[in-house]
């Protein structure tokens, strides 16, 4: 996709499977399984979508997926499938090496979005995945991730972000910010208090990576549908309303981070109803 001077590509770090109850929270299974059938273990398929932005002399990533350092036992639990290649292999097929990436924007620091920020080197030591990059995250998100509570602890792993801070590669944002030309991180609390969406605009074309404001397209179509992981569900609800209106007004392209069938859509109003049209855009590697 082209948004002004930015070439925007989707890369799926891996396929994975999550409990359907986690993905749909309070929504009865009888309703959600019509959209995303669960397997015999009640797991539903998720993608782990990262965005690659190339333009203005920059190579930037939005989110880094699950990453490669998760122990095999955990990978089995999440049913991690990299048969189509992960983030790093896919960058290589595009002629890019990790040291070419100069910017990494972290929507939030949950393990399935920030796991690829760091890696284990050949000696098994923790290392930064993109050593020439400046990483960006909201300060609130970083503070929450460094001091998780009993409920959020399972989704935050210091190994994914502390090394960035220790090496002076992490910039903490205090609210909305233009990070690259026409690329803004915008605070959208709900999934977490410091969660941000990333908007790319050139004044005519508009794209928003809503990230876990709406993990799946169906979460954006149904305002009351949200993942059980959201720590502030009523903020998610209000922010979804705001972003639906914005997307309609700007005929924006919307990218959903975990949707395996409808990763890229465009919103419209048809007969007074909010409708998402699925676009053909898919992952470079999938
Ligand atoms: Zn998340």
């Amino acid at each position: 996709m082209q948004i002004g001077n930015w070439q925007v590509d989707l890369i799926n770090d891996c396929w994975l499977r999550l409990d359907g109850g986690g993905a749909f929270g309070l929504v009865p299974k009888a309703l959600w399984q019509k959209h995303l059938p669960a397997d015999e273990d009640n797991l539903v398929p998720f993608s782990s979508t990262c965005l690659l932005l190339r333009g203005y002399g920059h190579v930037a990533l939005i989110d880094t997926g699950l990453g490669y350092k998760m122990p095999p036992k955990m990978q089995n639990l999440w049913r991690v499938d990299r048969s189509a290649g992960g983030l790093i292999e896919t960058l290589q097929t595009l002629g890019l090496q990790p040291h070419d990436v100069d910017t990494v924007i972290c929507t939030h620091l949950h393990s399935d979005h920030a796991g690829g920020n760091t890696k284990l080197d050949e000696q098994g030591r923790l290392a930064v995945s993109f050593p020439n990059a400046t990483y960006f995250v909201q300060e609130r998100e970083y503070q929450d991730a460094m001091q998780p509570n009993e409920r959020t602890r399972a989704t935050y792993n210091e190994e994914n972000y502390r090394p960035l801070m220790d090496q002076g590669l992490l910039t903490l944002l205090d609210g909305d910010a233009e990070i690259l030309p026409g690329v803004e991180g915008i605070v959208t609390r709900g999934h977490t208090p410091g969660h941000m969406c990333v908007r790319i605009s050139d004044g005519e074309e508009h794209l928003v990576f809503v990230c876990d404001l709406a993990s799946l397209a169906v979460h954006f179509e149904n305002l009351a549908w949200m993942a059980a992981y959201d720590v502030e569900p009523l903020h998610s609800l209000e922010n979804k309303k705001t972003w639906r209106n914005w997307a309609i007004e700007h005929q924006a392209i919307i990218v959903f981070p975990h949707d395996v069938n409808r990763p890229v859509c465009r919103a419209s109003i048809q007969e007074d109803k909010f409708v998402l049209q699925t676009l053909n855009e898919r992952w470079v590697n999938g």
Side-chain angles (χ1 to χ4, degrees):
M1 284 178 288
Q2 197 72 30
I3 307 290
N5 289 330
W6 289 109
Q7 184 182 341
V8 182
D9 290 296
L10 277 69
I11 298 176
N12 183 24
D13 183 47
C14 60
W15 307 107
L16 56 127
R17 285 181 170 267
L18 287 184
D19 185 81
F24 291 102
L26 293 176
V27 183
K29 185 176 180 181
L31 294 180
W32 62 251
Q33 70 175 0
K34 289 182 201 158
H35 296 272
L36 202 59
D39 66 16
E40 64 278 9
D41 295 321
N42 203 44
L43 302 178
V44 293
F46 264 42
S47 58
S48 181
T49 298
C50 313
L51 287 190
L52 169 67
L53 272 54
R54 286 175 284 180
Y56 299 94
H58 288 284
V59 177
L61 288 171
I62 305 174
D63 285 350
T64 58
L66 219 63
Y68 296 73
K69 65 184 181 303
M70 196 176 251
K73 204 176 145 190
M74 285 294 288
Q75 293 200 32
N76 287 338
L77 203 68
W78 290 53
R79 310 285 204 275
V80 172
D81 175 357
R82 280 216 174 83
S83 51
L87 175 60
I88 299 297
E89 295 91 44
T90 308
L91 287 173
Q92 280 162 353
T93 64
L94 297 170
L96 296 168
Q97 301 301 323
H99 63 249
D100 294 322
V101 176
D102 59 64
T103 305
V104 178
I105 301 172
C106 303
T107 60
H108 63 304
L109 294 173
H110 283 168
S111 296
D112 55 330
H113 294 263
N117 286 348
T118 59
K119 62 175 184 177
L120 297 177
D121 67 12
E122 286 91 56
Q123 283 78 41
R125 292 172 307 205
L126 192 59
V128 173
S129 300
F130 305 102
N132 294 332
T134 303
Y135 289 70
F136 293 87
V137 73
Q138 288 292 327
E139 179 170 8
R140 172 67 198 264
E141 179 68 16
Y142 184 75
Q143 299 303 346
D144 286 347
M146 289 300 288
Q147 289 148 29
N149 60 38
E150 289 78 3
R151 185 176 178 218
T152 61
R153 188 159 291 142
T155 54
Y156 286 127
N157 175 1
E158 263 189 42
E159 291 189 342
N160 296 333
Y161 36 86
R162 192 173 194 145
L164 313 173
M165 185 57 104
D166 291 346
Q167 294 186 36
L169 299 176
L170 188 61
T171 296
L172 299 179
L173 302 171
D174 179 19
D176 302 348
E178 185 173 19
I179 297 166
L180 292 167
V183 180
E184 297 164 279
I186 299 175
V187 179
T188 44
R189 65 186 303 168
H191 183 62
T192 67
H195 177 278
M196 60 180 176
C197 292
V198 180
R199 178 166 70 184
I200 307 165
S201 292
D202 75 335
E204 279 179 31
E205 281 283 350
H206 308 270
L207 179 149
V208 62
F209 183 61
V210 289
C211 205
D212 283 335
L213 176 64
S215 304
L216 310 174
V218 74
H219 287 145
F220 212 53
E221 287 170 322
N222 298 280
L223 287 171
W225 288 33
M226 50 191 84
Y229 310 108
D230 287 16
V231 295
E232 301 178 318
L234 297 182
H235 281 289
S236 297
L237 179 68
E238 291 309 314
N239 275 320
K240 279 202 283 186
K241 289 180 191 169
T242 302
W243 282 88
R244 278 178 28 157
N245 289 339
W246 178 85
I248 291 163
E249 195 180 319
H250 293 85
Q251 298 185 328
I253 296 166
I254 309 161
V255 182
F256 300 100
H258 296 301
D259 203 306
V260 296
N261 300 311
R262 306 162 68 197
V264 185
C265 295
R266 204 188 285 273
S268 64
I269 296 286
Q270 288 173 24
E271 293 169 1
D272 290 336
K273 202 170 176 287
F274 180 84
V275 175
L276 284 178
Q277 172 207 353
T278 305
L279 304 182
N280 287 330
E281 186 75 22
R282 309 289 284 184
W283 302 270
V284 174
N285 58 333

